[in-house]
DNA sequence: TCCGTCGATGTAATCGATTCCACGAGCACT
DNA sequence: AGTGCTCGTGGAATCGATTACATCGACGGA
């Protein structure tokens, strides 16, 4: 592959001049410029990004460590992140942690070794020493969706409080009283927070969330299935199950279907995270929708701000309830969506 | 960030010795080794992958350019690719072409500029000059799922011929005679091939696939919706629609639902690519399942073989039909799956 | 005419690693 | 004792870019 030296030789100038043309530095003659460009063209020269990065100490690359690629919420996030980054002149390297702290660390280490300019993370756990070190060392970082409390890093996330309150009101209005949750890992902020917010909202209606009705999941489908099985095995199963993410809701559907039961007649279901498929499931699933694309874009903007020396602020956007049929038919015509 | 020089100074040896320890070269004394390792530890030193790549001309990185991240088939593929690559000591950089040739070229160029060791592509079109140049220049490459005919690059893919034949037999057995397809872009091999195979299978039953019943889609949901609308507007709509991928099937479901019609009573539906959600859609969708994970792993193995100087062969694995309820109830108990 | 300035260019240092080559010490063999 | 190993080590070149600094010619003003 042709290097800058080959171009210089072909154009009959020095490598410095070639570099100046390529980075459109002002002081280069029109004549030299055209000769260099012709040489670039004829050799099919492309600058070596590795060499450039070594010299300039910039890779124009962002690292994105997401919790689970198989989760449509995160793939949509990844997509919007890449789009916005591209618009700002950056590329993105994605690492999939698969909800495993060790894999998360593997990817963070790998990305740091590659000297990415900044890191976007939705942490799977309470904060590995590795990540804390990176923050301390001054690596530009932004948390998205989930975060690590007590670390001075901007957080871009959705606030589900109002939507969860709407959901509980909806459930209450349909007559449901025995309500259960499939929680995410307690090591994650979203894992804890969604349970707390849900419990508070229930209390406002005088309902509580007993131990037996809080199942511990890990945000992946299999755990949703397992926890739901447990609920169905209880002497008095819940009337509704709220899954803290879409994959655990999928697992819950699996469990219900495996027993030959029906949603919502035998047991109702709601989920955090709305995805396109929920419109077409049997029945369509009531869910809390996050402004996923906007979150991804805001996170990139915050990170690039940090990288380029501007402040880079936290952003919180509201989530909203999308009512469908999985919790039962509304007696009154409340807001109903089919999209 | 500490460099190899800092480590050398701290350990009281030369950079050459540090490098030897790090790459466990045999001829280095036990004493020097322990001093170096201690220095590495105390400085928290991590080798700069950028510098290393520049010197060795290896990045230990594979590029993966996929057609659409929002397609669960491709995210599953991406996941298995990353897993296998990691096992073999490589990282993966994913580029999402979003079914757009220009974006595909953008990513290919970006990856080549980064001097990735090899490229895994499922091309969105018939072959951009850029990609052909890369092949000619000797970049190790492997096509996965889709390929470009006439280019000497290993192809790892599923053969859907038998499964499509099974599908047609199934449809025929259920009494369907007016059969339509939502095709993928003619510029892609899978786009063309699935139509041809389907048409051939129909002919074996004496059925044909008229022009009006072959809709042109682009593998994305919106096109599936649009084409299905067209079918439903016909004076004599088809009895079955076969979508050439899962996203177009989703779009078809959208169209059917928007008219207040039901699958399979008003119109039956089948899809290429099976995904978890198809079990829970209303109704569960009959689909052709590819061995996605195995394809991803085989593709990585073939690519790494090429990179490391071994042959690296094409692989074709069979797809299989998974019958569910979206084409109507089987009169006879044929193979039926609920998973 | 001379000097200062400016524009265009080249030389060489530099980034952080790897690796070829040279060198000295220690040891075995003759 | 001299020769020829091997082993451990350091010096320095190298990868492909960017960029500080030096140089040189032209030109304008005094």
């Amino acid at each position: 592959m042709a290097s800058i030296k080959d171009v210089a030789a072909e154009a009959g100038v020095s490598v410095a001049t070639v570099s100046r043309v390529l980075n459109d530095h002002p002081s280069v003659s029109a004549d030299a410029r055209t000769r260099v460009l012709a040489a670039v063209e004829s050799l099919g020269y492309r600058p070596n990004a590795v060499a450039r990065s070594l010299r300039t100490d910039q890779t124009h690359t962002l690292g994105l460590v997401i919790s689970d690629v198989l989760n449509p919420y995160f793939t949509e996030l990844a997509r919007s992140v890449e789009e916005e980054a591209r618009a700002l002149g950056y590329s993105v390297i994605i690492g999939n942690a698969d909800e495993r702290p060790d894999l998360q660390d593997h990817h963070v280490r790998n990305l740091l070794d590659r000297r990415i300019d900044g890191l976007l993370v939705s942490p799977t756990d309470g904060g590995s020493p590795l990540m804390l070190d990176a923050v301390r060392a001054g690596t530009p970082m932004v948390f998205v969706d989930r975060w690590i409390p007590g670390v001075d890093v901007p957080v871009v996330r959705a606030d589900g409080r109002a939507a969860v309150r709407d959901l509980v009101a909806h459930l209450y209005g349909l007559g449901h009283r025995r309500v259960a949750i499939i929680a995410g890992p307690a090591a994650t902020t979203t894992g804890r927070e969604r349970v707390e917010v849900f419990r508070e909202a229930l209390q406002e209606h005088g309902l509580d969330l007993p131990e037996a009705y809080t199942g511990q999941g890990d945000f992946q489908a299999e755990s949703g299935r397992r926890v739901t099985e447990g609920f169905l095995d209880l002497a008095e199963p819940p009337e509704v199950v709220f899954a803290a993410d879409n994959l655990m809701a999928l697992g819950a559907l699996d469990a219900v279907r495996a027993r030959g039961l029906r949603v919502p007649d035998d047991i109702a279901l709601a989920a955090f995270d709305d995805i396109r498929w929920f419109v077409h499931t049997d029945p369509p699933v009531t869910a809390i929708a996050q402004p996923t694309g906007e979150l991804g874009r805001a996170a990139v903007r915050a990170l690039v701000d940090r990288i380029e020396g501007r402040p880079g602020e936290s952003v919180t956007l509201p989530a909203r309830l999308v009512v469908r049929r999985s919790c039962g038919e509304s007696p009154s015509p409340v807001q109903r969506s089919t999209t």
Side-chain angles (χ1 to χ4, degrees), chain A:
Chain A
M1 185 150 273
S3 84
I4 196 171
K5 274 189 198 151
D6 304 316
V7 176
E10 173 87 5
V13 297
S14 73
V15 294
T17 301
V18 175
S19 177
R20 288 194 190 95
V21 172
L22 264 34
N23 298 285
D24 44 37
H25 183 98
S27 104
V28 44
S29 69
D31 175 55
R33 161 164 283 112
T34 55
R35 291 219 311 284
V36 167
L37 292 178
V40 165
E41 186 66 26
S42 83
L43 294 173
Y45 168 77
R46 295 246 80 213
N48 183 327
V50 174
R52 189 192 293 241
S53 292
L54 176 61
R55 182 57 232 247
T56 60
D57 203 31
Q58 295 183 47
T59 49
H60 274 278
T61 303
L62 310 180
L64 170 64
V65 180
I66 57 178
S67 319
D68 186 359
V69 251
L70 296 189
N71 186 328
Y73 167 73
F74 284 112
T75 76
E76 197 181 332
L77 189 72
R79 184 201 150 114
S80 65
V81 162
E82 195 274 336
E83 259 174 19
E84 184 72 8
R86 181 152 34 83
L88 297 176
Y90 287 80
S91 344
V92 177
I93 304 183
I94 301 173
N96 171 32
D98 207 14
E99 302 290 358
R100 284 167 43 190
D102 62 319
L103 250 189
Q104 169 182 274
D105 268 14
H106 165 87
H107 285 117
V108 170
R109 199 179 334 262
N110 184 265
L111 292 165
L112 292 175
D113 285 354
R114 288 165 181 274
R115 303 300 193 265
I116 43 121
D117 293 341
L119 200 53
L120 228 45
V121 191
S122 76
T124 8
D125 63 0
S128 64
L130 180 63
M131 214 140 59
L132 301 180
D133 282 354
V135 174
R136 214 169 303 127
T139 311
M141 203 181 290
V142 165
F143 291 136
V144 57
D145 184 53
R146 312 177 185 174
W147 71 96
I148 298 175
V151 177
D152 181 29
V153 162
V155 179
V156 174
R157 67 185 189 102
D159 179 3
R161 192 169 293 265
V164 168
R165 207 176 279 136
D166 288 349
L167 171 65
V168 169
H170 170 66
L171 297 176
Y172 193 89
L174 290 169
H176 297 304
R177 295 296 177 268
R178 295 198 312 279
V179 177
I181 188 169
I182 310 176
T188 63
T189 45
T190 49
R192 285 194 303 277
E193 204 190 43
R194 290 174 190 174
V195 179
E196 282 163 28
V197 168
F198 192 56
R199 174 175 286 123
E200 285 170 30
L202 288 174
Q203 277 166 355
E204 289 172 18
H205 290 269
L207 302 179
D208 67 359
L209 190 59
E211 185 66 27
Y213 284 180
T214 50
Q216 190 56 58
D218 62 5
F219 281 138
Q220 292 190 317
E222 174 51 28
S223 72
R225 204 192 50 68
R226 198 190 58 237
V227 168
T228 306
E229 300 255 314
F231 289 154
L232 294 173
D233 283 338
L234 293 173
E236 192 172 51
E239 294 157 336
V240 195
V241 173
F242 175 43
D245 86 339
N246 72 81
L247 289 182
M248 296 193 298
L250 175 64
L253 283 173
D254 281 336
V256 172
R257 154 180 281 262
R259 302 237 173 162
L261 301 177
R262 306 264 317 153
V263 174
D265 313 291
D266 299 303
I267 189 162
L269 180 69
F272 211 103
D273 292 342
D274 191 24
I275 59 170
R276 285 201 70 168
W277 299 101
F278 278 164
V279 177
H280 294 289
T281 47
D282 177 24
V285 175
T286 292
I288 291 176
Q290 301 193 47
T292 318
E294 195 42 58
L295 288 175
R297 286 186 289 274
V300 169
R301 284 194 297 267
L303 182 58
V304 170
D305 279 347
R306 287 247 144 164
I307 291 170
E308 299 180 354
R310 296 182 295 274
E313 316 242 307
S314 290
V315 174
T316 305
L317 299 172
R320 66 175 219 288
L321 177 66
V322 178
V323 174
R324 298 201 183 88
R325 293 207 317 274
S326 64
C327 299
E329 288 292 336
S330 272
S332 64
V334 296
Q335 72 274 36
R336 164 82 51 91
S337 167
T338 55
T339 54

